[in-house]
Amino acid sequence: MKDRCKRIDNDYVNGDHSRNNLLLLLSLCAFGLGLVAFTFTNRFSESLYFFIAAFLLTFTGMLGLRNFWPKHWGAKHIMVIAVIARAVLLPVEQGGDVHHYFSVQRNQIESSTVANQHDLASNTGTETGSTPEYKQNSIAYLQAITDQLKGHSPFLFKTILALVDLGTLFLLILYLKSRGSRLNEALLYAANPLILYAFSAQGQTVALMLFTVALSLLLLQKKRFGWMFLLIGCTGAFKPVVFLALPLLIRKDSVRLFPLALLPAAAVIIHSPDLLGGLKDTLTLATDHIYIGFGYTVLSQFLSNQMSSAVTIGIFALYYSYTLFLTPDPIRACANTAVAFLILWPAVHLSYFTVIALFSVLCPVKFWIVLTGTAGLFWPVGSSFLSTGNRVKWLTVTFLQYMLPFITGLLYKRNTPEFSSPDFGPPQKISVIIPVLNEEAGIGALLQLISFSYEVNSEIIVVDGGSSDNTESVVKSVPGTIFAKSDLGRGTQIAKGVKIATGDLIVIIHADTVPNHDCMNEIFRFCSRHPWVCGGSVKTKYNSMEPRFLLITLLNNLRSELTGISFGDQVQFFRKEALADGFPNVKLMEDIELSMLLKECGTVSSLSSLANSSVRRWKSTQHLRNMQLVISLTVLYLLRRRFNLLQPSNEDFYRKYYGTS
């Protein structure tokens, strides 16, 4: 791991050295100018366009620093930039939570927004009574802290939050180092104008929650599950929404420690009789007074408040279930859930998007990175439209706030690094593994079709599960092919081949799958060009033009593209180093298990159609029955896997699929 970290730290910048230095200098200038401009925007309602220019300059500078970070600059330089940026913005006039806890006079944008909220409530037929003091019954510990700071300047409170913010950055750097990931990703938090403005300028107390979340994720990486659950429970005690992350963080080796997270919550419920009242006030605020949540606001134009709430909760529950079972990586799962929450929840504040900035460091998805920028840019514009009561323009701006990041994500290929996975470097040797059972009729032709270019170091390993025909003699007649035997079971055979393989890039081909002549070379070249990709599969098509098989082809390729879960007949490939515990030694469902393990490790890709798959399995059984069987076994496996209910060898799945007793 240390060698890998060193390799990554020394390989941030590729290409022309002088060009990168120039771009780095321009990025530093843009970032610095943006910070200086921020100091003149105490209230963005008074200088909207100036605020947008400052934010855009700082955001552009952040992206440039991240992309052109010098190879000899490390964590210390990142911390220096972070400290300077926060020190520059601390003197900016207080806002947000500093206003609330120290009773500082609210700025003009807050006053106009409150007035507008009453107008919006009257326009939609809701009551326009006094807005509930939603913070009166929540975050009591913060009020206790500010009570101790009475008589001191609010600047002290902001300084404490800035130090907590720097602590969060330090924890993120430790996380990246522990994974062997690129440290320059930390600049997405250290130099993010959304973070700087929310915490250093506005004094938003969300900084405290981000610190505990970052520490929890670091404990997860270190496999300190007990402390992680306990800390999550403490955080959820004053921010109940954090409890949404608990099921996403549970793994089979940590499920027994899960009850530790419930202890702090139970203590708060027992000793805080006003907790339920505070939650009720928050919900009342969300549904009756503030209309700044995009999804809820759109629905409220056509449905009642109660129905809008029910629909948004239902949509969120469906997406949450999808994430829970199909996103094995906890970082990506938590971040996806946070994005869905921000889109659907009725009451959303600008500071809530800082959570996305934190996750973009650990998993630099283009959508998340751009969303932190559009949120900061469009929020003051939308607020200005709200202040004039123009809801249509506000909805348009908010729609663009989410749509632009989405379009940006689509424009970039899926093969760009969207996960802080280790840099495996270019592959040195490719090992092709073929599990067989009574394949004498076709294995010889398949071995002849598998070809490599002269520069690719390669080997082919055929693992027999106990054939009763002449498979062994046919395989041994092909020069350069390694033949091995193992117990029956496709996954068991592949696991045996992986142990024998000497290559660092493994490709699995089923005996009834026919790869194109350049398939192996393309996989090798792709992994050489994208060293951060830990594995993936090849889009395949069936060797039949019947409509039913064309439909199955479409569904298979969509599944692998959208979910990252591929089946064995789709020519799966992976970096051997990515599987710390080796290939899953199970009789069946090894393809799904491999997909989930790779998704936990890092970036998974789906290559263009480079193989044809046989329809013999589909023609030997009833078409609809086989489709129902595949779907039911896949769903059942994912459910059992999530709750650690799988048998060691998946013997039960093997019997159900092949109909053996």
Side-chain angles (χ1 to χ4, degrees):
M1 180 65 72
K2 291 183 179 179
D3 291 339
R4 185 191 299 164
C5 292
K6 183 177 180 180
R7 182 177 72 227
I8 294 172
D9 287 342
N10 291 331
D11 194 31
Y12 282 166
V13 180
N14 295 311
D16 183 70
H17 182 71
S18 58
R19 181 183 67 88
N20 288 334
N21 284 340
L22 176 61
L23 292 173
L24 175 68
L25 179 61
L26 292 176
S27 300
L28 282 171
C29 291
F31 183 73
L33 287 174
L35 289 178
V36 173
F38 262 129
T39 62
F40 296 98
T41 58
N42 289 341
R43 297 184 177 93
F44 59 72
S45 60
E46 297 177 348
S47 52
L48 177 61
Y49 296 108
F50 200 75
F51 174 86
I52 293 176
F55 193 98
L56 191 59
L57 272 173
T58 312
F59 190 80
T60 303
M62 175 201 71
L63 294 179
L65 289 174
R66 177 230 182 186
N67 292 332
F68 305 108
W69 192 246
K71 62 182 180 180
H72 56 280
W73 286 8
K76 291 185 294 185
H77 297 84
I78 295 175
M79 292 299 298
V80 168
I81 289 178
V83 170
I84 293 175
R86 283 150 181 80
V88 169
L89 291 187
L90 274 177
V92 174
E93 185 175 339
Q94 301 84 9
D97 288 336
V98 174
H99 272 198
H100 174 76
Y101 293 113
F102 286 89
S103 300
V104 180
Q105 183 181 6
R106 297 180 184 273
N107 56 35
Q108 294 180 7
I109 185 63
E110 289 174 337
S111 301
S112 62
T113 302
V114 170
N116 181 65
Q117 290 161 6
H118 290 278
D119 294 339
L120 292 177
S122 60
N123 292 338
T124 55
T126 57
E127 297 181 1
T128 58
S130 60
T131 301
E133 290 295 332
Y134 66 100
K135 290 188 177 181
Q136 185 175 352
N137 293 319
S138 63
I139 323 182
Y141 78 101
L142 287 176
Q143 192 62 55
I145 294 175
T146 53
D147 288 343
Q148 298 297 320
L149 295 176
K150 291 295 186 181
H152 296 277
S153 168
F155 183 83
L156 176 61
F157 184 69
K158 290 176 60 178
T159 302
I160 293 174
L161 290 179
L163 292 175
V164 172
D165 181 33
L166 289 172
T168 302
L169 173 61
F170 180 72
L171 293 174
L172 292 176
I173 291 174
L174 291 180
Y175 185 98
L176 294 175
K177 284 188 174 182
S178 67
R179 286 192 63 92
S181 303
R182 298 172 176 84
L183 290 184
N184 59 337
E185 302 296 353
L187 288 161
L188 295 175
Y189 185 94
N192 196 310
L194 181 62
I195 296 291
L196 297 173
Y197 185 77
F199 299 153
S200 297
Q202 285 269 300
Q204 297 291 342
T205 54
V206 177
L208 298 170
M209 185 190 73
L210 260 61
F211 178 83
T212 59
V213 170
L215 181 55
S216 299
L217 296 177
L218 180 61
L219 291 172
L220 174 66
Q221 174 65 19
K222 299 290 187 179
K223 297 187 177 181
R224 305 289 181 86
F225 301 121
W227 288 107
M228 178 199 70
F229 283 127
L230 191 61
L231 184 59
I232 287 290
C234 293
T235 307
F238 61 84
K239 284 287 186 181
V241 69
V242 175
F243 283 124
L244 287 173
L246 273 180
L248 305 175
L249 296 173
I250 296 175
R251 292 296 176 263
K252 59 184 180 181
D253 51 352
S254 65
V255 64
R256 61 184 179 84
L257 297 172
F258 170 73
L260 289 174
L262 305 180
L263 295 178
V268 170
I269 293 175
I270 294 173
H271 294 92
S272 300
D274 293 334
L275 178 64
L276 294 179
L279 292 176
K280 182 180 178 181
D281 285 348
T282 301
L283 291 175
T284 302
L285 177 74
T287 57
D288 290 344
H289 294 269
I290 291 184
Y291 291 84
I292 53 178
F294 178 69
Y296 176 88
T297 306
V298 171
L299 290 174
S300 66
Q301 308 304 305
F302 310 99
L303 304 173
S304 65
N305 287 348
Q306 292 76 11
M307 184 60 68
S308 299
S309 299
V311 172
T312 53
I313 290 174
I315 295 174
F316 179 79
L318 289 174
Y319 185 80
Y320 186 82
S321 300
Y322 168 85
T323 303
L324 180 64
F325 294 107
L326 294 182
T327 309
D329 171 59
I331 304 298
R332 190 183 294 268
C334 291
N336 286 339
T337 301
V339 171
F341 184 86
L342 291 173
I343 294 175
L344 297 172
W345 189 246
V348 179
H349 189 272
L350 178 62
S351 63
Y352 297 174
F353 289 89
T354 57
V355 178
I356 306 302
L358 183 148
F359 283 113
S360 67
V361 173
L362 309 179
C363 185
V365 178
K366 299 298 184 297
F367 175 86
W368 301 345
I369 297 173
V370 178
L371 180 59
T372 62
T374 56
L377 284 173
F378 291 146
W379 192 274
V381 178
S383 297
S384 67
F385 289 141
L386 276 178
S387 64
T388 59
N390 195 329
R391 179 179 294 220
V392 174
K393 288 185 177 180
W394 173 82
L395 284 173
T396 302
V397 168
T398 310
F399 175 78
L400 292 175
Q401 173 182 320
Y402 292 103
M403 186 54 61
L404 289 180
F406 178 75
I407 293 175
T408 302
L410 290 180
L411 292 178
Y412 279 86
K413 297 180 180 179
R414 281 179 54 88
N415 302 327
T416 55
E418 292 187 346
F419 192 91
S420 294
S421 59
D423 190 325
F424 298 102
Q428 303 301 312
K429 184 177 183 179
I430 182 171
S431 296
V432 179
I433 299 173
I434 308 174
V436 296
L437 180 67
N438 297 326
E439 297 287 354
E440 67 169 330
I443 186 62
L446 174 61
L447 293 174
Q448 296 295 334
L449 284 172
I450 299 175
S451 60
F452 303 92
S453 59
Y454 67 91
E455 73 272 11
V456 175
N457 190 11
S458 61
E459 65 182 1
I460 301 176
I461 303 172
V462 178
V463 185
D464 189 13
S467 297
S468 57
D469 60 4
N470 295 321
T471 298
E472 180 177 355
S473 60
V474 173
V475 171
K476 289 182 176 180
S477 66
V478 179
T481 302
I482 302 173
F483 181 82
K485 294 183 178 181
S486 79
D487 295 333
L488 181 61
R490 194 173 61 203
T492 304
Q493 295 170 236
I494 296 174
K496 178 65 176 293
V498 172
K499 289 182 179 180
I500 298 174
T502 59
D504 56 338
L505 175 60
I506 308 295
V507 179
I508 302 171
I509 302 178
H510 287 189
D512 57 354
T513 298
V514 180
N516 293 357
H517 73 282
D518 200 39
C519 181
M520 300 299 106
N521 297 322
E522 181 57 33
I523 292 175
F524 191 89
R525 288 193 293 265
F526 174 82
C527 292
S528 298
R529 294 192 304 266
H530 306 89
W532 56 82
V533 173
C534 63
S537 63
V538 167
K539 294 177 182 177
T540 60
K541 58 183 179 180
Y542 285 102
N543 57 356
S544 174
M545 296 302 293
E546 295 183 35
R548 56 176 176 167
F549 295 119
L550 294 177
L551 176 61
I552 296 174
T553 296
L554 176 63
L555 295 177
N556 279 346
N557 293 332
L558 279 176
R559 182 199 63 253
S560 61
E561 180 72 24
L562 297 178
T563 69
I565 297 177
S566 55
F567 288 167
D569 57 0
Q570 292 180 283
V571 190
Q572 293 177 300
F573 61 92
F574 62 94
R575 306 301 289 265
K576 195 173 183 179
E577 187 181 358
L579 301 183
D581 298 325
F583 189 87
N585 191 359
V586 292
K587 296 187 69 172
L588 196 66
M589 312 304 288
E590 82 292 336
D591 46 3
I592 297 179
E593 181 64 24
L594 173 62
S595 298
M596 301 299 279
L597 291 175
L598 293 177
K599 290 176 67 175
E600 290 179 8
C601 175
T603 304
V604 177
S605 297
S606 180
L607 304 189
S608 302
S609 297
L610 295 169
N612 296 309
S613 186
S614 173
V615 298
R616 65 180 182 180
R617 168 69 185 177
W618 294 91
K619 288 191 173 181
S620 63
T621 59
Q622 294 183 3
H623 177 74
L624 293 178
R625 179 186 177 279
N626 196 49
M627 180 178 289
Q628 179 270 333
L629 179 63
V630 171
I631 294 175
S632 62
L633 288 179
T634 301
V635 174
L636 180 62
Y637 183 83
L638 291 174
L639 286 172
R640 288 189 180 181
R641 185 185 192 275
R642 194 66 188 81
F643 297 105
N644 196 27
L645 299 175
L646 294 170
Q647 295 182 4
S649 64
N650 291 345
E651 180 69 34
D652 51 341
F653 286 92
Y654 185 87
R655 291 196 302 267
K656 289 178 182 178
Y657 186 71
Y658 289 107
T660 58
S661 57

